[in-house]
Amino acid sequence: MLRFFALVGLLLLSPSLLAAGQPGYISDNVYLYLHGGPGTQFRILGSVEAGQAISLLGETQGDYTKIIDHKGREGWIEAKMVTRQKSFRQQLPEVQTELNKTKSELAQALSSSDNNDAQLSKLKSDLSRAQRDLAKASSERDHATSKLANIEKNERFQMWQEGGIIAAIGLLIGVVLVYIPRPRRKQTNRW
């Protein structure tokens, strides 16, 4: 069934669409012979393994297309056996590399996650300690502010009290001075 769709797809594509120098691949499920010309009557130059990368030369005759294989040999193979998609042989190392990279990143992320959990726990305890210290410092500040306000209030009261005492003493001295008899002056015109 897959071959049928591949054959129909290739028939719909004209040979002119296969431009020279574009990459192509031998499909994974075949083992092809590289012929010296466009047909089986031409000499076999070698074989091309399934999934090998090739270069399309853009030249077609009948059911054959001209290629350069992975060893640099130029020859003809059946056009229906060429696909533009990377073969599994080409994809497997890329996928394996990507898988190894992803595994490494996952292991690193899991390790980092464990470290992050420990750091988060430490930060939470540091935060709760800092909040307790802040609450204690705020309480001490409020107590000191209240004490300072009381001291200022007492100082003002004491100043008023001292001022009142000084005023009372001054008033008393003033009253006493008014009632103290003054010595009279001798009059010079008296005998």
Side-chain angles (χ1 to χ4, degrees):
M1 190 68 161
L2 182 61
R3 285 186 180 177
F4 174 74
F5 286 117
L7 183 59
V8 170
L10 286 174
L11 290 176
L12 291 176
L13 292 174
S14 68
S16 64
L17 289 178
L18 299 175
Q22 288 189 350
Y25 301 91
I26 300 298
S27 58
D28 290 326
N29 57 356
V30 294
Y31 186 83
L32 297 177
Y33 290 111
L34 184 64
H35 294 277
T40 56
Q41 68 274 17
F42 292 93
R43 178 172 70 94
I44 295 176
L45 301 175
S47 63
V48 181
E49 296 174 3
Q52 284 293 338
I54 58 168
S55 293
L56 300 170
L57 297 179
E59 190 177 334
T60 59
Q61 286 185 15
D63 292 339
Y64 286 81
T65 187
K66 194 170 188 180
I67 64 156
I68 297 177
D69 71 358
H70 65 286
K71 294 180 181 177
R73 300 176 293 189
E74 191 174 305
W76 295 81
I77 61 169
E78 288 183 82
K80 69 180 182 179
M81 297 299 176
V82 175
T83 178
R84 294 237 180 239
Q85 296 176 340
K86 282 188 175 183
S87 65
F88 292 127
R89 170 182 256 170
Q90 300 295 322
Q91 291 176 6
L92 183 62
E94 294 172 4
V95 170
Q96 189 66 38
T97 301
E98 187 66 29
L99 178 63
N100 290 338
K101 180 182 172 189
T102 304
K103 282 181 180 178
S104 171
E105 289 174 355
L106 178 61
Q108 188 176 19
L110 289 174
S111 171
S112 175
S113 174
D114 292 342
N115 287 341
N116 288 343
D117 288 344
Q119 286 178 340
L120 182 61
S121 176
K122 183 181 181 300
L123 289 174
K124 282 182 179 179
S125 70
D126 289 349
L127 177 63
S128 67
R129 187 171 358 110
Q131 286 175 336
R132 283 192 310 268
D133 292 346
L134 176 63
K136 182 179 176 185
S138 295
S139 172
E140 289 175 1
R141 182 203 63 206
D142 292 343
H143 180 68
T145 303
S146 171
K147 198 172 184 181
L148 181 61
N150 284 337
I151 289 171
E152 288 175 354
K153 186 177 169 184
N154 288 340
E155 282 181 1
R156 273 190 235 123
F157 177 73
Q158 189 175 3
M159 281 181 16
W160 278 101
Q161 188 179 26
E162 288 173 0
I165 291 172
I166 291 171
I169 291 173
L171 181 65
L172 185 63
I173 291 174
V175 169
V176 168
L177 286 178
V178 168
Y179 290 107
I180 292 181
R182 291 188 201 165
R184 291 192 175 196
R185 285 190 181 167
K186 287 187 185 180
Q187 293 184 357
T188 58
N189 55 4
R190 262 176 104 182
W191 299 96

